[in-house]
Amino acid sequence: MTQPAPHPRPTAETWALARADFLSGLSAAVVAERHGISERQIRRRAAKEGWRRSDFEPMGMAPTPAWMKPPPTAAEERANDDALEEVDEAEAAARFGLLFEPKPRSLRRYAFRRASESAAMDRPQVAVSWMRLVQLIDRCGERIDEEAHPYREADYVRAAYLRRLNEQYGEDGDPDLNPDTAPTG
């Protein structure tokens, strides 16, 4: 049996010409035949050195199926639906009220609403923690109302001090300390 004659080792000049032909858009088979290099050698060199033909357009990956996409963020949801901005504003107002005017009844409503939302969003552990807060408010909510003071202890001390100052110096006629004798506009 006769074996095909081995291809002579291509020179650097031959590789440069082969590369130029390949990059111009010729197929590897045509470049191999033209320059006397095996098609396999052309493909290996092209892969190794990153040759890309001029007509090559990389195929992108297939789009991600909807079931694999992550859920949209809150900002994306707000951008898609203007009504959500109104909901966010109402939620911020509710939190503001809870922070600066805490009332057991409003806190209970807020906690129950959050528990319901968490349960609906399939987050049972979060829902349970909010329901514990609801139960705690039910047990001690009235006592909180009875014991609650609208001001801090320091504010009461400050008010008592100002009252003493007013009693002590207000009778001497100092108009700055006695609001009854202060000049009106």
Side-chain angles (χ1 to χ4, degrees):
M1 249 199 235
T2 61
Q3 293 182 351
H7 293 284
R9 182 171 284 241
T11 63
E13 192 175 302
T14 305
W15 277 119
L17 293 171
R19 181 178 189 274
D21 286 345
F22 186 82
L23 293 177
S24 70
L26 294 177
S27 70
V30 172
V31 172
E33 187 177 329
R34 182 180 282 179
H35 297 285
I37 305 171
S38 73
E39 187 177 343
R40 182 175 180 184
Q41 282 181 311
I42 298 286
R43 292 189 189 282
R44 282 186 174 180
R45 177 70 65 107
K48 181 180 174 185
E49 295 180 3
W51 298 355
R52 298 286 178 250
R53 294 179 9 190
S54 60
D55 61 345
F56 175 77
E57 290 184 23
M59 293 177 40
M61 294 178 57
T64 307
W67 55 271
M68 287 184 68
K69 291 181 182 175
T73 63
E76 292 171 345
E77 287 288 341
R78 270 187 247 112
N80 294 337
D81 190 358
D82 294 334
L84 290 177
E85 287 186 35
E86 295 174 21
V87 171
D88 282 345
E89 289 172 8
E91 187 72 21
R95 285 194 303 264
F96 182 84
L98 287 173
L99 181 61
F100 292 105
E101 297 176 21
K103 297 177 185 159
R105 186 175 183 178
S106 59
L107 180 60
R108 183 181 184 279
R109 284 184 186 158
Y110 180 79
F112 187 78
R113 187 173 65 242
R114 292 298 301 260
S116 301
E117 290 170 1
S118 298
M121 299 291 286
D122 200 24
R123 297 188 327 230
Q125 292 175 332
V126 176
V128 167
S129 64
W130 282 108
M131 282 307 296
R132 286 184 184 144
L133 180 60
V134 170
Q135 291 172 347
L136 181 65
I137 295 167
D138 281 344
R139 282 195 300 248
C140 61
E142 292 176 15
R143 192 174 71 230
I144 291 172
D145 265 347
E146 293 169 2
E147 296 173 357
H149 299 286
Y151 302 105
R152 297 177 297 165
E153 186 64 32
D155 295 331
Y156 288 110
V157 171
R158 190 176 298 118
Y161 175 71
L162 290 174
R163 189 177 311 113
R164 265 196 329 268
L165 282 177
N166 191 27
E167 290 171 0
Q168 184 178 6
Y169 296 108
E171 296 171 1
D172 294 339
D174 189 352
D176 292 335
L177 294 176
N178 192 345
D180 297 333
T181 61
T184 55

